[in-house]
Amino acid sequence: MFTIKKEDDPRVNLALMTETAAAMLEGEEDSIAALANISALIKAYLEDINWAGFYILKGKDLVLGPFQGLPACSRIGEGRGVCGRAVQEGRPVITGNVREFPGHIACDSASASEIVIPLFKQGTVYGVLDLDSPRLNRFSALEEEYLTQTGRLIGAFLERVEGRG
Ligand code: SME
């Protein structure tokens, strides 16, 4: 069992979330189980999040993986939406107002802002971590930093459990 111990200081809270993610990944061998728990962890730690989860790159499409939130589009084509952009650019993408992002894919009409972190396994994009918020300009550079760190931990975990291929 993992304790969700939230703190008021955003950096301390994010550090706690990241440490718990590391412990979760260390104790697991199955990628679906681990990613499911990480999505629940993020949703529990961060305020004002209506969707948190993963899309996995399969061929050219991003296919829905473990998540917390309302049902979402199960497949995102190459370069589509904020998720496709993050894959193409190989770096995190934050959009403060999804309605101003050309090509944004609306899965939950409540979503107002979004952050997408690409995940790498051995230098190749494996998928993305996607977070939506009903609040405009919800995501900070500090959150990007810690979520990117969590993404790196996930990449290392995937190399361990799924091999380096
Ligand atoms: N909004 C995303 C699609 C996925 S949902 O937010 C869960 C996008 O534009 O890529």
Side-chain angles (χ1 to χ4, degrees), residues 94-123:
I94 292 181
T95 172
N97 182 353
V98 295
R99 281 164 195 85
E100 289 174 359
F101 187 97
H104 168 258
I105 302 161
C107 290
D108 179 345
S109 60
S111 299
S113 61
E114 181 163 1
I115 183 169
V116 181
I117 310 283
L119 305 172
F120 298 91
K121 189 173 106 177
Q122 280 297 100

mmCIF file of all heavy atoms in Angstrom, residues 94-123:
data_model
loop_
_atom_site.group_PDB
_atom_site.id
_atom_site.type_symbol
_atom_site.label_atom_id
_atom_site.label_comp_id
_atom_site.label_asym_id
_atom_site.label_seq_id
_atom_site.Cartn_x
_atom_site.Cartn_y
_atom_site.Cartn_z
ATOM 1 N N ILE A 94 3.202 22.318 -22.898
ATOM 2 C CA ILE A 94 2.183 22.853 -21.991
ATOM 3 C C ILE A 94 1.293 23.762 -22.801
ATOM 4 O O ILE A 94 1.795 24.598 -23.567
ATOM 5 C CB ILE A 94 2.812 23.676 -20.835
ATOM 6 C CG1 ILE A 94 3.610 22.772 -19.888
ATOM 7 C CG2 ILE A 94 1.734 24.422 -20.057
ATOM 8 C CD1 ILE A 94 4.249 23.518 -18.714
ATOM 9 N N THR A 95 -0.028 23.591 -22.672
ATOM 10 C CA THR A 95 -0.930 24.558 -23.277
ATOM 11 C C THR A 95 -1.836 25.128 -22.179
ATOM 12 O O THR A 95 -2.529 24.385 -21.494
ATOM 13 C CB THR A 95 -1.698 23.981 -24.498
ATOM 14 O OG1 THR A 95 -2.675 24.921 -24.888
ATOM 15 C CG2 THR A 95 -2.368 22.671 -24.215
ATOM 16 N N GLY A 96 -1.726 26.445 -22.009
ATOM 17 C CA GLY A 96 -2.466 27.127 -20.949
ATOM 18 C C GLY A 96 -3.949 27.219 -21.245
ATOM 19 O O GLY A 96 -4.774 27.336 -20.336
ATOM 20 N N ASN A 97 -4.283 27.168 -22.537
ATOM 21 C CA ASN A 97 -5.693 27.236 -22.958
ATOM 22 C C ASN A 97 -5.856 26.320 -24.169
ATOM 23 O O ASN A 97 -5.440 26.669 -25.281
ATOM 24 C CB ASN A 97 -6.076 28.671 -23.309
ATOM 25 C CG ASN A 97 -7.550 28.787 -23.701
ATOM 26 O OD1 ASN A 97 -8.245 27.775 -23.835
ATOM 27 N ND2 ASN A 97 -8.024 30.005 -23.876
ATOM 28 N N VAL A 98 -6.458 25.154 -23.942
ATOM 29 C CA VAL A 98 -6.544 24.162 -25.024
ATOM 30 C C VAL A 98 -7.349 24.675 -26.226
ATOM 31 O O VAL A 98 -7.106 24.253 -27.352
ATOM 32 C CB VAL A 98 -7.138 22.819 -24.518
ATOM 33 C CG1 VAL A 98 -6.218 22.160 -23.512
ATOM 34 C CG2 VAL A 98 -8.535 22.996 -23.959
ATOM 35 N N ARG A 99 -8.253 25.625 -25.970
ATOM 36 C CA ARG A 99 -9.055 26.140 -27.087
ATOM 37 C C ARG A 99 -8.218 26.969 -28.055
ATOM 38 O O ARG A 99 -8.612 27.195 -29.186
ATOM 39 C CB ARG A 99 -10.245 26.933 -26.556
ATOM 40 C CG ARG A 99 -11.353 25.997 -26.110
ATOM 41 C CD ARG A 99 -12.416 26.608 -25.237
ATOM 42 N NE ARG A 99 -13.190 25.538 -24.623
ATOM 43 C CZ ARG A 99 -12.842 24.914 -23.497
ATOM 44 N NH1 ARG A 99 -11.758 25.273 -22.845
ATOM 45 N NH2 ARG A 99 -13.580 23.924 -23.022
ATOM 46 N N GLU A 100 -7.065 27.383 -27.604
ATOM 47 C CA GLU A 100 -6.182 28.157 -28.485
ATOM 48 C C GLU A 100 -5.104 27.296 -29.128
ATOM 49 O O GLU A 100 -4.261 27.796 -29.859
ATOM 50 C CB GLU A 100 -5.522 29.293 -27.679
ATOM 51 C CG GLU A 100 -6.518 30.379 -27.321
ATOM 52 C CD GLU A 100 -5.924 31.437 -26.404
ATOM 53 O OE1 GLU A 100 -4.740 31.327 -26.023
ATOM 54 O OE2 GLU A 100 -6.676 32.362 -26.065
ATOM 55 N N PHE A 101 -5.119 25.997 -28.819
ATOM 56 C CA PHE A 101 -4.097 25.105 -29.389
ATOM 57 C C PHE A 101 -4.643 24.511 -30.680
ATOM 58 O O PHE A 101 -5.608 23.742 -30.657
ATOM 59 C CB PHE A 101 -3.756 23.991 -28.398
ATOM 60 C CG PHE A 101 -2.594 23.136 -28.819
ATOM 61 C CD1 PHE A 101 -1.311 23.380 -28.346
ATOM 62 C CD2 PHE A 101 -2.781 22.090 -29.720
ATOM 63 C CE1 PHE A 101 -0.246 22.599 -28.740
ATOM 64 C CE2 PHE A 101 -1.711 21.300 -30.124
ATOM 65 C CZ PHE A 101 -0.444 21.552 -29.633
ATOM 66 N N PRO A 102 -4.041 24.837 -31.826
ATOM 67 C CA PRO A 102 -4.579 24.317 -33.086
ATOM 68 C C PRO A 102 -4.525 22.788 -33.106
ATOM 69 O O PRO A 102 -3.475 22.211 -32.825
ATOM 70 C CB PRO A 102 -3.637 24.904 -34.151
ATOM 71 C CG PRO A 102 -2.835 25.960 -33.465
ATOM 72 C CD PRO A 102 -2.837 25.644 -32.000
ATOM 73 N N GLY A 103 -5.669 22.160 -33.353
ATOM 74 C CA GLY A 103 -5.696 20.700 -33.459
ATOM 75 C C GLY A 103 -5.886 19.976 -32.146
ATOM 76 O O GLY A 103 -5.844 18.744 -32.105
ATOM 77 N N HIS A 104 -6.111 20.735 -31.064
ATOM 78 C CA HIS A 104 -6.352 20.084 -29.772
ATOM 79 C C HIS A 104 -7.519 19.098 -29.889
ATOM 80 O O HIS A 104 -8.526 19.384 -30.525
ATOM 81 C CB HIS A 104 -6.678 21.144 -28.709
ATOM 82 C CG HIS A 104 -7.219 20.561 -27.445
ATOM 83 N ND1 HIS A 104 -8.565 20.580 -27.131
ATOM 84 C CD2 HIS A 104 -6.598 19.899 -26.451
ATOM 85 C CE1 HIS A 104 -8.729 19.970 -25.969
ATOM 86 N NE2 HIS A 104 -7.562 19.545 -25.535
ATOM 87 N N ILE A 105 -7.346 17.924 -29.276
ATOM 88 C CA ILE A 105 -8.403 16.910 -29.312
ATOM 89 C C ILE A 105 -9.142 16.965 -27.982
ATOM 90 O O ILE A 105 -8.557 16.693 -26.928
ATOM 91 C CB ILE A 105 -7.803 15.506 -29.537
ATOM 92 C CG1 ILE A 105 -6.999 15.475 -30.839
ATOM 93 C CG2 ILE A 105 -8.896 14.451 -29.547
ATOM 94 C CD1 ILE A 105 -6.025 14.317 -30.933
ATOM 95 N N ALA A 106 -10.417 17.327 -28.031
ATOM 96 C CA ALA A 106 -11.199 17.463 -26.799
ATOM 97 C C ALA A 106 -11.800 16.117 -26.421
ATOM 98 O O ALA A 106 -12.687 15.604 -27.103
ATOM 99 C CB ALA A 106 -12.294 18.500 -26.994
ATOM 100 N N CYS A 107 -11.286 15.527 -25.358
ATOM 101 C CA CYS A 107 -11.826 14.246 -24.881
ATOM 102 C C CYS A 107 -12.833 14.501 -23.774
ATOM 103 O O CYS A 107 -13.838 13.830 -23.659
ATOM 104 C CB CYS A 107 -10.699 13.364 -24.356
ATOM 105 S SG CYS A 107 -9.638 12.758 -25.674
ATOM 106 N N ASP A 108 -12.543 15.486 -22.940
ATOM 107 C CA ASP A 108 -13.434 15.858 -21.843
ATOM 108 C C ASP A 108 -13.656 17.357 -22.009
ATOM 109 O O ASP A 108 -12.701 18.143 -21.977
ATOM 110 C CB ASP A 108 -12.736 15.527 -20.512
ATOM 111 C CG ASP A 108 -13.584 15.898 -19.298
ATOM 112 O OD1 ASP A 108 -14.560 16.647 -19.458
ATOM 113 O OD2 ASP A 108 -13.234 15.442 -18.191
ATOM 114 N N SER A 109 -14.922 17.768 -22.180
ATOM 115 C CA SER A 109 -15.190 19.184 -22.456
ATOM 116 C C SER A 109 -14.803 20.074 -21.274
ATOM 117 O O SER A 109 -14.682 21.291 -21.419
ATOM 118 C CB SER A 109 -16.654 19.386 -22.825
ATOM 119 O OG SER A 109 -17.458 18.960 -21.758
ATOM 120 N N ALA A 110 -14.578 19.475 -20.106
ATOM 121 C CA ALA A 110 -14.166 20.268 -18.936
ATOM 122 C C ALA A 110 -12.716 20.714 -19.031
ATOM 123 O O ALA A 110 -12.311 21.654 -18.352
ATOM 124 C CB ALA A 110 -14.363 19.457 -17.659
ATOM 125 N N SER A 111 -11.918 20.058 -19.864
ATOM 126 C CA SER A 111 -10.487 20.358 -19.908
ATOM 127 C C SER A 111 -10.230 21.767 -20.452
ATOM 128 O O SER A 111 -10.756 22.139 -21.496
ATOM 129 C CB SER A 111 -9.751 19.350 -20.797
ATOM 130 O OG SER A 111 -9.911 18.056 -20.264
ATOM 131 N N ALA A 112 -9.420 22.539 -19.724
ATOM 132 C CA ALA A 112 -9.093 23.906 -20.151
ATOM 133 C C ALA A 112 -7.604 24.062 -20.447
ATOM 134 O O ALA A 112 -7.208 24.844 -21.295
ATOM 135 C CB ALA A 112 -9.507 24.895 -19.071
ATOM 136 N N SER A 113 -6.767 23.337 -19.693
ATOM 137 C CA SER A 113 -5.327 23.397 -19.963
ATOM 138 C C SER A 113 -4.745 21.995 -19.859
ATOM 139 O O SER A 113 -5.381 21.076 -19.327
ATOM 140 C CB SER A 113 -4.629 24.379 -19.021
ATOM 141 O OG SER A 113 -4.781 23.996 -17.678
ATOM 142 N N GLU A 114 -3.547 21.841 -20.397
ATOM 143 C CA GLU A 114 -3.008 20.487 -20.555
ATOM 144 C C GLU A 114 -1.480 20.500 -20.526
ATOM 145 O O GLU A 114 -0.853 21.466 -20.962
ATOM 146 C CB GLU A 114 -3.509 19.942 -21.904
ATOM 147 C CG GLU A 114 -3.077 18.543 -22.243
ATOM 148 C CD GLU A 114 -3.937 17.919 -23.360
ATOM 149 O OE1 GLU A 114 -4.854 18.598 -23.871
ATOM 150 O OE2 GLU A 114 -3.685 16.762 -23.701
ATOM 151 N N ILE A 115 -0.908 19.404 -20.019
ATOM 152 C CA ILE A 115 0.545 19.201 -20.137
ATOM 153 C C ILE A 115 0.776 17.783 -20.642
ATOM 154 O O ILE A 115 0.092 16.846 -20.214
ATOM 155 C CB ILE A 115 1.279 19.439 -18.788
ATOM 156 C CG1 ILE A 115 2.795 19.304 -18.966
ATOM 157 C CG2 ILE A 115 0.800 18.509 -17.687
ATOM 158 C CD1 ILE A 115 3.602 19.775 -17.748
ATOM 159 N N VAL A 116 1.689 17.653 -21.590
ATOM 160 C CA VAL A 116 2.024 16.329 -22.132
ATOM 161 C C VAL A 116 3.539 16.147 -22.051
ATOM 162 O O VAL A 116 4.301 16.995 -22.525
ATOM 163 C CB VAL A 116 1.536 16.161 -23.588
ATOM 164 C CG1 VAL A 116 1.892 14.773 -24.097
ATOM 165 C CG2 VAL A 116 0.032 16.383 -23.688
ATOM 166 N N ILE A 117 3.931 15.039 -21.421
ATOM 167 C CA ILE A 117 5.358 14.720 -21.248
ATOM 168 C C ILE A 117 5.670 13.475 -22.081
ATOM 169 O O ILE A 117 5.070 12.412 -21.844
ATOM 170 C CB ILE A 117 5.654 14.368 -19.757
ATOM 171 C CG1 ILE A 117 5.095 15.414 -18.795
ATOM 172 C CG2 ILE A 117 7.132 14.069 -19.527
ATOM 173 C CD1 ILE A 117 5.883 16.675 -18.681
ATOM 174 N N PRO A 118 6.572 13.568 -23.053
ATOM 175 C CA PRO A 118 6.916 12.349 -23.795
ATOM 176 C C PRO A 118 7.743 11.400 -22.928
ATOM 177 O O PRO A 118 8.523 11.851 -22.085
ATOM 178 C CB PRO A 118 7.748 12.859 -24.984
ATOM 179 C CG PRO A 118 8.217 14.209 -24.603
ATOM 180 C CD PRO A 118 7.307 14.747 -23.533
ATOM 181 N N LEU A 119 7.547 10.105 -23.117
ATOM 182 C CA LEU A 119 8.291 9.083 -22.379
ATOM 183 C C LEU A 119 9.239 8.404 -23.350
ATOM 184 O O LEU A 119 8.846 8.068 -24.475
ATOM 185 C CB LEU A 119 7.332 8.028 -21.809
ATOM 186 C CG LEU A 119 6.190 8.547 -20.932
ATOM 187 C CD1 LEU A 119 5.222 7.417 -20.616
ATOM 188 C CD2 LEU A 119 6.747 9.165 -19.652
ATOM 189 N N PHE A 120 10.459 8.191 -22.902
ATOM 190 C CA PHE A 120 11.468 7.574 -23.771
ATOM 191 C C PHE A 120 11.944 6.264 -23.171
ATOM 192 O O PHE A 120 12.181 6.185 -21.964
ATOM 193 C CB PHE A 120 12.682 8.499 -23.923
ATOM 194 C CG PHE A 120 12.348 9.811 -24.575
ATOM 195 C CD1 PHE A 120 11.990 10.905 -23.808
ATOM 196 C CD2 PHE A 120 12.372 9.927 -25.954
ATOM 197 C CE1 PHE A 120 11.668 12.122 -24.407
ATOM 198 C CE2 PHE A 120 12.055 11.139 -26.562
ATOM 199 C CZ PHE A 120 11.702 12.237 -25.792
ATOM 200 N N LYS A 121 12.091 5.267 -24.027
ATOM 201 C CA LYS A 121 12.744 4.027 -23.615
ATOM 202 C C LYS A 121 13.957 3.885 -24.523
ATOM 203 O O LYS A 121 13.805 3.803 -25.743
ATOM 204 C CB LYS A 121 11.765 2.854 -23.797
ATOM 205 C CG LYS A 121 12.266 1.566 -23.214
ATOM 206 C CD LYS A 121 11.213 0.476 -23.270
ATOM 207 C CE LYS A 121 11.553 -0.511 -24.343
ATOM 208 N NZ LYS A 121 10.636 -1.637 -24.434
ATOM 209 N N GLN A 122 15.136 3.872 -23.965
ATOM 210 C CA GLN A 122 16.371 3.794 -24.756
ATOM 211 C C GLN A 122 16.430 4.848 -25.859
ATOM 212 O O GLN A 122 16.741 4.528 -27.011
ATOM 213 C CB GLN A 122 16.507 2.393 -25.374
ATOM 214 C CG GLN A 122 17.036 1.335 -24.444
ATOM 215 C CD GLN A 122 18.457 1.634 -23.967
ATOM 216 O OE1 GLN A 122 18.652 2.123 -22.867
ATOM 217 N NE2 GLN A 122 19.447 1.357 -24.790
ATOM 218 N N GLY A 123 16.045 6.053 -25.532
ATOM 219 C CA GLY A 123 16.152 7.148 -26.485
ATOM 220 C C GLY A 123 15.064 7.211 -27.543
ATOM 221 O O GLY A 123 15.034 8.119 -28.363
#
